[in-house]
Amino acid sequence: MKGRTIYPGKAEGEALVSKEPIGFYGGIDMKTGIVIEKGHELEGKCIKDKILVFPCGKGSTVGSYVIYGLKKNGVAPKAIINKETETIVATGAILAGIVCVDGIDIDKIKTGNYVVIEAKEKEAEVIVK
Amino acid sequence: MYLTKEQEKMLEGEYGEVVSKMMRLLVRLGEVYNAEKMIPVTSVQVAGVSYKSIGDAGLEFLQDIAKEAKVKVLTFLNPAGMDLENWKEMGISEEFAKKQLAIIEAFKKMGIVISATCTPYLAGNLPRYKQHIAWSESSAVSFANSVVGARTNREGGPSALAAAITGYTPYYGLHLDEKRQPNYIINVNVDLKSSTDFAAMGYYIGKEIKNKIPYFVGIKDADVDDLKALGAAMAASGAVALYHIENITPEANEVSIDGLEKIEFGKEELKETYEKLNSGEEEDIIIFGCPHASLNEIIKIARLVEGKKARKPFWICTSRAVKEIAERMGLDEIIRKAGGKIIADTCMVVSPIENLFSTTAVNSAKAAHYLPGFCKQKVIFKRMEDLLR
């Protein structure tokens, strides 16, 4: 699948997919990378070293700092794949240096799939193995 | 993306590494979102202030910036993790306070107004209609775009800071008139009786439409507090940065609603949302002021409790500016006698209340959304009058 690069780089790993949007602030614990939002479909799951797949961000604008903090604390996802990346997630990914792409039909990716991402300066390719 | 000579210089490091880093972030965002150029901004709201929210990684990030850079435009700050003056009274630990004050010091060094409020528009940072600004704080973004008609994207804390330091933001998204068109019509078929009802509706709609723009019809009237509650809720359960209300918000007559999909909101949906947001049995404390209470809300509470004792201890969170006036008017005295406290600079979500309480009652859907996960609270969500009765 072809998409748009938000932050370039190569990454591969196991997909963790959420059909619901993710609000990083208040939704994910910055120290552990565990999803803490009550009732969220990923509640209790850890995003560390995953290819984190979700439609778009939601909620607090502090989310960018949480993404940055996840990276500093060594519990960040290897990459982020969105249907539509908004400014808050983009800012966090750019600052933290996490590979991030959007414009992807995320329904085609299932949790546990092995995903390879090659994100060039502008365009990105996502391969589901 | 077109950059002026001045912007090029910033990017290339002529004004130091920090300015260059901030400009790189903005240029990257501009390129991703196909901005043709940068535009000057005249007002910024910076989120990401509480130590509880941004941790040591955030503190170090801010200290590095403060070493070199100052803001160029009027820049206000979001709430901190504690009342900056009376934190001991709140039961905050020395260790937390030390870190929090270091964060505040960094912002001060950058020349940012230590307003410590999520309602800058009630405390001295009010943009005008169609003014280009760069705000973070999801509820304030919604208010500025929708109620005032100013233009801002939902900036992340760091991208707002970058705009403050460079004086520019990339020209895309909600800065463009054509991106401010609604995507859904919301048919409101129920009489909304309080700002808590507006909050509940916002919570429901935010979940339904995620990051899209709603156009509400059927709302007869709404005051500023109702609109503040509505926007905050939609920005918490979803990522709504702009809404229009027929005959109420300033751009409602300028946009087109032809052929839009309709969503109904009636008695059933309202009831269902109240049920969903209630998870507690009996509260340890009642907390008002998410977003920060307006003076009018404090007056309403004072009238309700005057000469009485409230059922439970209660806090009202607001800005230092509003608290000062409330004190001058003797409202804090009335509230204290009733078992309440006015707390400035912070709120129930960004302060470490999980160390103090386990069930919190609120009249805010935004607070009801964040308290269970981030603050480990059971929640009671009711109207102000019902919480104090």
Side-chain angles (χ1 to χ4, degrees), chain B residues 154-276:
Chain B
R154 258 165 63 84
E155 298 294 342
S159 64
L161 192 56
I165 284 167
T166 61
Y168 298 104
T169 196
Y171 190 48
Y172 73 95
L174 293 175
H175 289 285
L176 308 168
D177 285 346
E178 67 267 25
K179 293 284 171 68
R180 300 173 69 87
Q181 292 292 328
N183 310 101
Y184 292 95
I185 295 174
I186 316 297
N187 260 333
V188 183
N189 304 311
V190 58
D191 196 11
L192 302 170
K193 292 196 177 75
S194 72
S195 63
T196 310
D197 288 355
F198 276 86
M201 178 171 74
Y203 188 85
Y204 180 90
I205 298 300
K207 263 215 176 321
E208 287 286 310
I209 69 168
K210 301 184 177 80
N211 57 352
K212 299 293 188 251
I213 301 171
Y215 185 103
F216 291 91
V217 296
I219 297 176
K220 288 185 205 85
D221 199 6
D223 68 17
V224 163
D225 296 325
D226 298 333
L227 298 175
K228 166 163 81 82
L230 171 67
M234 285 193 288
S237 65
V240 176
L242 167 64
Y243 61 88
H244 304 289
I245 306 178
E246 187 183 42
N247 297 330
I248 291 180
T249 58
E251 286 171 87
N253 293 333
E254 295 179 15
V255 295
S256 159
I257 53 169
D258 293 344
L260 295 184
E261 189 183 323
K262 287 184 181 154
I263 295 174
E264 301 293 323
F265 186 86
K267 260 188 193 155
E268 270 308 302
E269 288 78 14
L270 186 65
K271 193 170 155 247
E272 179 192 307
T273 308
Y274 269 91
E275 279 164 12
K276 191 166 184 188

Side-chain angles (χ1 to χ4, degrees), chain A residues 4 59-61 85 87 121, chain B residues 28 32-33 137 154 172 370:
Chain A
R4 169 175 72 168
S60 170
T61 57
T85 304
T87 312
E121 192 52 28
Chain B
R28 180 80 218 170
V32 165
Y33 294 109
E137 170 48 41
R154 258 165 63 84
Y172 73 95
Y370 284 114

Side-chain angles (χ1 to χ4, degrees), chain B residues 26-44:
Chain B
L26 296 177
V27 169
R28 180 80 218 170
L29 287 170
E31 280 172 352
V32 165
Y33 294 109
N34 294 321
E36 57 179 82
K37 60 178 181 181
M38 296 279 177
I39 45 161
V41 292
T42 42
S43 163
V44 173

